[in-house]
Amino acid sequence: MDPKREQMRGNGDNEREFKQGLLYPFDKSKQRKLVAAPLANGDEYSPSRGGIPSGCYSLSFFMNVLVVVFLFSHLCRHDLQTALRLVPETSTPSASCPASKVLEDSSKEHCSGHGAYEVDYETDTGSCRCHTCFTGRDCAIPDSSCVIDLYQGDPTMYENYWRENGDSCTTTILGWQRMSYYANSKKFFFVQTELDQVIRSLHEVIGNAVTKDRHIVIGVGSTQLYQAALYALSPSDRPVPAKVVSATPFYSSYPMITDFLKSSLYRWAGDAAAVMPSGNSDDEFYIELVTSPNNPTGEVRESVLIKGRRGVPTRSGALVHDLAYYWPHHIPITAPADEDLMLFTVSKSTGHAGTRIGWAIVKDLNVAQKMARFIELNTIGVSKDAQIRATQILRAVTKQYRELGGKIPYPLDSAGSPKQLFHFAAAEMSYRWERLRSVLKKGTKFSVSEFDPAWCSFFGESRLPTPAFAWLRCEEVEDCELYMRQNGILTRSGSYFGSQARYVRLSMLDRRATFEVLVDRLEKLQLIDSVS
Amino acid sequence: MDPKREQMRGNGDNEREFKQGLLYPFDKSKQRKLVAAPLANGDEYSPSRGGIPSGCYSLSFFMNVLVVVFLFSHLCRHDLQTALRLVPETSTPSASCPASKVLEDSSKEHCSGHGAYEVDYETDTGSCRCHTCFTGRDCAIPDSSCVIDLYQGDPTMYENYWRENGDSCTTTILGWQRMSYYANSKKFFFVQTELDQVIRSLHEVIGNAVTKDRHIVIGVGSTQLYQAALYALSPSDRPVPAKVVSATPFYSSYPMITDFLKSSLYRWAGDAAAVMPSGNSDDEFYIELVTSPNNPTGEVRESVLIKGRRGVPTRSGALVHDLAYYWPHHIPITAPADEDLMLFTVSKSTGHAGTRIGWAIVKDLNVAQKMARFIELNTIGVSKDAQIRATQILRAVTKQYRELGGKIPYPLDSAGSPKQLFHFAAAEMSYRWERLRSVLKKGTKFSVSEFDPAWCSFFGESRLPTPAFAWLRCEEVEDCELYMRQNGILTRSGSYFGSQARYVRLSMLDRRATFEVLVDRLEKLQLIDSVS
């Protein structure tokens, strides 16, 4: 029996269907019929007893009573909380596919706001998986002995923001949609046109990159696009691999990602600033990575090798600009970035790292085509589901700023309620950096760089950088990572970045609760006289 | 003004909201309130005039009239077709995120069933993108001069199946869910436990692979997992790269995928059957790929080199079994596959190639961990959105067969209506192969291999293989691919598979309409005496 038909007949098995989420949503066409049901008496209008026949009244009243009974039977059978739980204000009605129940369950306010509610579908039991530093069945108990992991840059800071804004970004995909290998782009077979379009709109509205007459290649994160760029830019006809360089401190993953397959096309060659100007440059080809703002140090950067200082090229090669953090909540937007090859990622703009979508903005069509070829060979394109989700999210952000006029600047005080994404994120990052600096000033054990302010065209004011990572220097110990680890804070050693072990990189993108534990611990460490 | 509040107030702006799909679906909690609105009179029960007060009747009647007016005003303002179009039977109610409108629109029955309706979100205009061999604004006009592209294996055959079953597999993801780099697996950081679980359930129910005590690694398609396997299995301490081999005809993408980065770890070395038994085997390490059933030829295969004939290993090395097609609609399932490293993909089991999800079933934990390390470095894991979707779909298939008892066999006549996935697909493949063979028998220009039947434990009967590709031999021309191309059929030349140009591989997985054009053309070609 089709459960929808049962529902229409007011079958007594409604409880099971209700629990399975089959009763909601109503199939829309039947929904209209349900509404129409009490209307039958309206059709039977005939002038009597003040214009309305008693038969009509009886039937109308009877239908209304039926609806009351139906409704209250459900409210009683499940406690009200359950009834409300199955109709959360901010979620879309569930699909009838069982896995959606996992998503609905995890959207409930379990776990005291300090954990994720997970349902084991096989056993239909759920439990809280607590966030760092919280414990207990409902994650309500702070755990002061916790180890905080700031080694990665997992952007969990954005989670609560999207929870409040979640209903504007729900993604719904029907079972038969987007099944093909092929998307609808006229240029690269796997790219969805809607995603290309929304990326261009976003950059126009935010003002942080030029996209006109550029090609956009989508990848499984900017990580994959980085490798695609190396493949596309390396000459295939040289006896030695292209040398991949970046000025220290450089992003710690570059060396490993470059070299893990021991490609003959390109090899990691270290510090761009250390490359000798002389030498046989005929066979040597350099690919210089410029990360701006830099990871781990947070400041604006320019090429030191390919374009050289004062614009004089010193070496034959190509440039890759990794602009993952070139967004207004991390660095003043001085001008729309306008480089030959620019990498961006959803992970560091909206926080949706798990979606795995990045994009490259490329001037040269041949380079873009070769990057797309890499993506084809490596993974036969990029998941359509991920592209759909990224489109949703980026479109929501673009819309937020269109509602503020769609053109820079967007002063801080123009933020709505709830705030627009970058207004939220900028305020949060400013809070965190001010808090961190104020704590570090209280002692001499730790230091972070000072930054110069710059004019930010996005906010229309002079601002300080508020990077995604803190590049912390231990003034009193040589192995900062070890010291921090001994004190329950996991960081990444400066030695991974081509720098000294006296430095560590720690994430400023974790949840607020974790950040507060961090500054609290740093503050306490400042008070300890000797190094433990 | 929150559009939902406007709706509740019965604001006259309903038309705009209705068009935007905001009126449907009703927010569930408000939906209950809307239903409750006419109930107020039911609460005011008091015994008079035969038990029901006239005031109640009047109010009740008034409410019903209101609803009638509301409804008919919409039916009149939009033609009925539009009203129905906005409430398609099989779609879920729209999310309020604008991009979902694209999905709803494309789910309408436009384009005569021979195209996809695409909406340009920026301009809000839609048009049909017609399938091969159809044209016209509504894709209703057959285009007999069309070129049919059977070069790839894009599994569009499954699209109509999932369209009919789509409501059971809708995926809904809220804006704040699954944002992190980290999934919830205890083993591999990027793997979602639900997907691991459903894969094991599926294999248990279908009976085509052993998963007990095995590790499951997820990848962006089995293509990425193939590269992960090469990385994991290649020794890192040998002076020469591992030699990657496969018996001809082998899958045409293997050589390019193996060699495009010119890795020092592994290199393509051609035909596994051509490897000499003698030679210095200390430094040589072989990785043999066994594709079974084979792509392009469709028959069952075993190792010829590593395990050798009669199980005697001839070379030091490792095995990778690509079992993408080891499903009951392509080959009799003789036993659950039980190899050291087995690759599967959603693309060839359910047809959701665009989702980009594959999985590896791995015996050795070290190998699995190294494969996961590859996925980490290559793409920092796999999109959570893609994993959620794959979970939905595989769970639906598992559920279909659990409803038939959950244990093999599932005789063909036990299929429900609609049919279970593999029952549908097996019937479709059988139809296509019988049709193809009957056409080819009418002449001597083309031939395909004959297969031997085997006992299929899944269907509980003796069956013939019905592969995803036809390995067609041109009996009268040497360059079969050229001949076919001249006659409007794009295929892949046998030379790409390490075989002869007299062979071509053509996809049997395209839409039914395209398949009919194929056999029609082959039939006509048989009638032509001379080669044109």
Side-chain angles (χ1 to χ4, degrees), chain A residues 95-133:
Chain A
S96 55
C97 207
S100 278
K101 185 156 166 295
V102 175
L103 299 168
E104 286 183 53
D105 289 338
S106 62
S107 74
K108 299 167 197 169
E109 289 297 324
H110 283 280
C111 316
S112 314
H114 295 296
Y117 189 71
E118 292 179 349
V119 176
D120 182 329
Y121 183 70
E122 301 283 326
T123 59
D124 208 28
T125 55
S127 62
C128 285
R129 188 162 64 115
C130 298
H131 297 157
T132 304
C133 303

Short mmCIF file of all heavy atoms in Angstrom, two decimals, chain A residues 95-133:
data_model
loop_
_atom_site.label_atom_id
_atom_site.label_comp_id
_atom_site.label_asym_id
_atom_site.label_seq_id
_atom_site.Cartn_x
_atom_site.Cartn_y
_atom_site.Cartn_z
N ALA A 95 12.77 14.10 3.52
CA ALA A 95 12.52 13.21 2.41
C ALA A 95 12.14 11.87 3.02
O ALA A 95 12.30 11.65 4.20
CB ALA A 95 13.78 13.06 1.59
N SER A 96 11.63 11.01 2.19
CA SER A 96 11.22 9.73 2.75
C SER A 96 12.38 8.76 2.80
O SER A 96 12.22 7.62 3.19
CB SER A 96 10.08 9.16 1.92
OG SER A 96 10.48 9.09 0.57
N CYS A 97 13.54 9.19 2.40
CA CYS A 97 14.66 8.28 2.40
C CYS A 97 15.21 8.20 3.82
O CYS A 97 15.46 9.21 4.44
CB CYS A 97 15.73 8.80 1.43
SG CYS A 97 16.74 7.50 0.74
N PRO A 98 15.41 7.00 4.31
CA PRO A 98 15.75 6.83 5.73
C PRO A 98 16.96 7.62 6.20
O PRO A 98 16.99 8.08 7.32
CB PRO A 98 16.01 5.32 5.84
CG PRO A 98 15.61 4.72 4.58
CD PRO A 98 15.29 5.73 3.58
N ALA A 99 17.95 7.81 5.36
CA ALA A 99 19.15 8.50 5.84
C ALA A 99 18.85 9.94 6.23
O ALA A 99 19.52 10.50 7.06
CB ALA A 99 20.24 8.46 4.79
N SER A 100 17.80 10.52 5.65
CA SER A 100 17.45 11.88 6.05
C SER A 100 17.12 11.95 7.52
O SER A 100 17.26 12.98 8.14
CB SER A 100 16.28 12.41 5.24
OG SER A 100 16.73 12.87 4.00
N LYS A 101 16.69 10.86 8.07
CA LYS A 101 16.35 10.86 9.50
C LYS A 101 17.62 11.17 10.31
O LYS A 101 17.59 11.85 11.30
CB LYS A 101 15.79 9.50 9.88
CG LYS A 101 15.30 9.42 11.31
CD LYS A 101 14.26 8.31 11.44
CE LYS A 101 14.00 7.96 12.90
NZ LYS A 101 15.15 7.38 13.59
N VAL A 102 18.75 10.72 9.80
CA VAL A 102 20.01 11.02 10.49
C VAL A 102 20.22 12.51 10.54
O VAL A 102 20.58 13.08 11.56
CB VAL A 102 21.20 10.37 9.76
CG1 VAL A 102 22.50 10.78 10.38
CG2 VAL A 102 21.07 8.86 9.82
N LEU A 103 19.95 13.15 9.41
CA LEU A 103 20.19 14.58 9.34
C LEU A 103 19.22 15.32 10.23
O LEU A 103 19.58 16.28 10.89
CB LEU A 103 20.05 15.05 7.89
CG LEU A 103 21.04 14.41 6.95
CD1 LEU A 103 20.66 14.71 5.52
CD2 LEU A 103 22.44 14.89 7.23
N GLU A 104 17.96 14.87 10.24
CA GLU A 104 17.00 15.55 11.10
C GLU A 104 17.38 15.38 12.54
O GLU A 104 17.35 16.31 13.32
CB GLU A 104 15.62 14.94 10.90
CG GLU A 104 14.96 15.30 9.62
CD GLU A 104 13.56 14.71 9.57
OE1 GLU A 104 12.81 14.93 10.51
OE2 GLU A 104 13.28 14.02 8.59
N ASP A 105 17.72 14.16 12.93
CA ASP A 105 18.05 13.92 14.33
C ASP A 105 19.22 14.78 14.76
O ASP A 105 19.24 15.31 15.85
CB ASP A 105 18.41 12.44 14.52
CG ASP A 105 17.18 11.57 14.40
OD1 ASP A 105 16.08 12.08 14.59
OD2 ASP A 105 17.33 10.37 14.11
N SER A 106 20.20 14.89 13.87
CA SER A 106 21.37 15.64 14.28
C SER A 106 21.11 17.13 14.31
O SER A 106 21.93 17.90 14.76
CB SER A 106 22.55 15.32 13.37
OG SER A 106 22.26 15.71 12.05
N SER A 107 19.95 17.54 13.81
CA SER A 107 19.66 18.96 13.85
C SER A 107 18.93 19.35 15.14
O SER A 107 18.67 20.49 15.39
CB SER A 107 18.80 19.36 12.64
OG SER A 107 17.47 18.90 12.83
N LYS A 108 18.61 18.36 15.93
CA LYS A 108 17.93 18.67 17.19
C LYS A 108 18.90 19.33 18.15
O LYS A 108 20.11 19.20 18.03
CB LYS A 108 17.40 17.38 17.82
CG LYS A 108 16.39 16.67 16.95
CD LYS A 108 16.14 15.27 17.47
CE LYS A 108 15.47 14.42 16.38
NZ LYS A 108 15.44 13.00 16.71
N GLU A 109 18.35 20.02 19.15
CA GLU A 109 19.23 20.68 20.10
C GLU A 109 19.67 19.75 21.20
O GLU A 109 19.46 20.01 22.38
CB GLU A 109 18.53 21.91 20.68
CG GLU A 109 18.37 23.05 19.69
CD GLU A 109 19.74 23.59 19.26
OE1 GLU A 109 20.67 23.62 20.09
OE2 GLU A 109 19.88 23.96 18.09
N HIS A 110 20.25 18.67 20.83
CA HIS A 110 20.82 17.76 21.83
C HIS A 110 22.19 18.27 22.23
O HIS A 110 22.73 19.21 21.67
CB HIS A 110 21.00 16.36 21.24
CG HIS A 110 19.74 15.59 21.16
ND1 HIS A 110 19.18 14.95 22.23
CD2 HIS A 110 18.92 15.36 20.11
CE1 HIS A 110 18.07 14.36 21.85
NE2 HIS A 110 17.88 14.58 20.58
N CYS A 111 22.79 17.55 23.13
CA CYS A 111 24.20 17.67 23.39
C CYS A 111 24.60 19.06 23.88
O CYS A 111 25.75 19.48 23.71
CB CYS A 111 25.03 17.29 22.14
SG CYS A 111 24.44 15.80 21.31
N SER A 112 23.66 19.76 24.47
CA SER A 112 23.96 21.01 25.16
C SER A 112 24.65 22.05 24.28
O SER A 112 25.29 22.96 24.79
CB SER A 112 24.86 20.75 26.39
OG SER A 112 24.38 19.67 27.14
N GLY A 113 24.56 21.87 22.98
CA GLY A 113 25.26 22.81 22.10
C GLY A 113 26.75 22.55 22.04
O GLY A 113 27.49 23.31 21.42
N HIS A 114 27.21 21.46 22.66
CA HIS A 114 28.65 21.17 22.66
C HIS A 114 28.93 19.78 22.10
O HIS A 114 29.89 19.12 22.50
CB HIS A 114 29.23 21.29 24.08
CG HIS A 114 29.17 22.69 24.61
ND1 HIS A 114 29.86 23.73 24.03
CD2 HIS A 114 28.49 23.21 25.65
CE1 HIS A 114 29.59 24.85 24.70
NE2 HIS A 114 28.77 24.56 25.69
N GLY A 115 28.08 19.32 21.20
CA GLY A 115 28.32 18.01 20.60
C GLY A 115 27.43 17.81 19.40
O GLY A 115 26.55 18.63 19.11
N ALA A 116 27.67 16.72 18.71
CA ALA A 116 26.85 16.37 17.56
C ALA A 116 26.09 15.09 17.89
O ALA A 116 26.67 14.12 18.34
CB ALA A 116 27.73 16.17 16.33
N TYR A 117 24.77 15.12 17.61
CA TYR A 117 23.94 13.94 17.91
C TYR A 117 24.00 13.01 16.72
O TYR A 117 23.62 13.39 15.62
CB TYR A 117 22.51 14.38 18.19
CG TYR A 117 21.63 13.27 18.72
CD1 TYR A 117 21.83 12.77 20.00
CD2 TYR A 117 20.62 12.73 17.94
CE1 TYR A 117 21.02 11.76 20.49
CE2 TYR A 117 19.82 11.71 18.42
CZ TYR A 117 20.02 11.23 19.70
OH TYR A 117 19.23 10.23 20.18
N GLU A 118 24.47 11.82 16.95
CA GLU A 118 24.61 10.87 15.85
C GLU A 118 23.73 9.66 16.07
O GLU A 118 23.67 9.12 17.16
CB GLU A 118 26.07 10.46 15.70
CG GLU A 118 26.93 11.62 15.22
CD GLU A 118 28.39 11.26 15.09
OE1 GLU A 118 28.76 10.16 15.56
OE2 GLU A 118 29.13 12.05 14.54
N VAL A 119 23.07 9.24 14.99
CA VAL A 119 22.19 8.08 15.07
C VAL A 119 22.83 6.93 14.32
O VAL A 119 23.23 7.07 13.17
CB VAL A 119 20.82 8.41 14.45
CG1 VAL A 119 19.93 7.18 14.44
CG2 VAL A 119 20.16 9.54 15.21
N ASP A 120 22.92 5.79 14.99
CA ASP A 120 23.37 4.59 14.30
C ASP A 120 22.16 4.03 13.58
O ASP A 120 21.22 3.54 14.22
CB ASP A 120 23.90 3.56 15.32
CG ASP A 120 24.44 2.31 14.63
OD1 ASP A 120 23.94 1.93 13.55
OD2 ASP A 120 25.38 1.70 15.18
N TYR A 121 22.16 4.15 12.30
CA TYR A 121 20.96 3.79 11.54
C TYR A 121 20.61 2.31 11.71
O TYR A 121 19.46 1.93 11.72
CB TYR A 121 21.14 4.14 10.07
CG TYR A 121 19.90 3.85 9.29
CD1 TYR A 121 18.76 4.63 9.46
CD2 TYR A 121 19.83 2.77 8.44
CE1 TYR A 121 17.60 4.34 8.78
CE2 TYR A 121 18.68 2.48 7.75
CZ TYR A 121 17.57 3.27 7.92
OH TYR A 121 16.43 2.97 7.23
N GLU A 122 21.62 1.49 11.81
CA GLU A 122 21.35 0.05 11.88
C GLU A 122 20.62 -0.31 13.16
O GLU A 122 19.71 -1.14 13.18
CB GLU A 122 22.68 -0.73 11.82
CG GLU A 122 23.48 -0.47 10.54
CD GLU A 122 22.92 -1.21 9.33
OE1 GLU A 122 22.42 -2.34 9.50
OE2 GLU A 122 22.95 -0.65 8.22
N THR A 123 21.02 0.31 14.27
CA THR A 123 20.41 -0.03 15.55
C THR A 123 19.38 1.02 15.97
O THR A 123 18.70 0.83 16.97
CB THR A 123 21.48 -0.10 16.66
OG1 THR A 123 22.12 1.18 16.73
CG2 THR A 123 22.53 -1.15 16.33
N ASP A 124 19.29 2.11 15.20
CA ASP A 124 18.36 3.20 15.52
C ASP A 124 18.57 3.78 16.91
O ASP A 124 17.63 4.19 17.59
CB ASP A 124 16.91 2.71 15.37
CG ASP A 124 15.99 3.87 15.00
OD1 ASP A 124 16.47 4.83 14.37
OD2 ASP A 124 14.80 3.82 15.36
N THR A 125 19.82 3.77 17.36
CA THR A 125 20.11 4.41 18.64
C THR A 125 21.00 5.61 18.37
O THR A 125 21.80 5.62 17.44
CB THR A 125 20.86 3.45 19.59
OG1 THR A 125 22.03 2.97 18.92
CG2 THR A 125 19.98 2.28 19.99
N GLY A 126 20.84 6.62 19.22
CA GLY A 126 21.61 7.84 19.02
C GLY A 126 22.41 8.17 20.26
O GLY A 126 22.11 7.74 21.37
N SER A 127 23.46 8.94 20.03
CA SER A 127 24.26 9.40 21.17
C SER A 127 24.99 10.66 20.76
O SER A 127 25.12 10.97 19.57
CB SER A 127 25.26 8.33 21.59
OG SER A 127 26.16 8.07 20.52
N CYS A 128 25.45 11.37 21.76
CA CYS A 128 26.17 12.61 21.52
C CYS A 128 27.64 12.33 21.31
O CYS A 128 28.26 11.62 22.11
CB CYS A 128 26.03 13.55 22.73
SG CYS A 128 24.42 14.33 22.86
N ARG A 129 28.19 12.91 20.25
CA ARG A 129 29.65 12.89 20.11
C ARG A 129 30.10 14.28 20.50
O ARG A 129 29.80 15.25 19.80
CB ARG A 129 30.05 12.57 18.66
CG ARG A 129 31.55 12.34 18.50
CD ARG A 129 31.83 11.61 17.20
NE ARG A 129 31.46 12.40 16.05
CZ ARG A 129 32.31 12.88 15.13
NH1 ARG A 129 33.59 12.65 15.26
NH2 ARG A 129 31.88 13.56 14.09
N CYS A 130 30.76 14.38 21.65
CA CYS A 130 31.02 15.70 22.24
C CYS A 130 32.16 16.42 21.54
O CYS A 130 33.11 15.80 21.06
CB CYS A 130 31.35 15.56 23.72
SG CYS A 130 29.98 14.86 24.66
N HIS A 131 32.05 17.72 21.51
CA HIS A 131 33.14 18.54 21.04
C HIS A 131 34.28 18.49 22.04
O HIS A 131 34.11 18.07 23.20
CB HIS A 131 32.70 20.00 20.88
CG HIS A 131 31.62 20.18 19.85
ND1 HIS A 131 30.76 21.26 19.87
CD2 HIS A 131 31.26 19.45 18.78
CE1 HIS A 131 29.93 21.17 18.85
NE2 HIS A 131 30.20 20.08 18.16
N THR A 132 35.44 18.95 21.60
CA THR A 132 36.61 19.03 22.47
C THR A 132 36.25 19.75 23.76
O THR A 132 35.54 20.76 23.75
CB THR A 132 37.72 19.81 21.75
OG1 THR A 132 37.98 19.16 20.51
CG2 THR A 132 38.98 19.84 22.58
N CYS A 133 36.76 19.24 24.87
CA CYS A 133 36.65 19.87 26.17
C CYS A 133 35.25 19.80 26.79
O CYS A 133 34.96 20.53 27.76
CB CYS A 133 37.14 21.33 26.16
SG CYS A 133 38.84 21.47 25.58
#
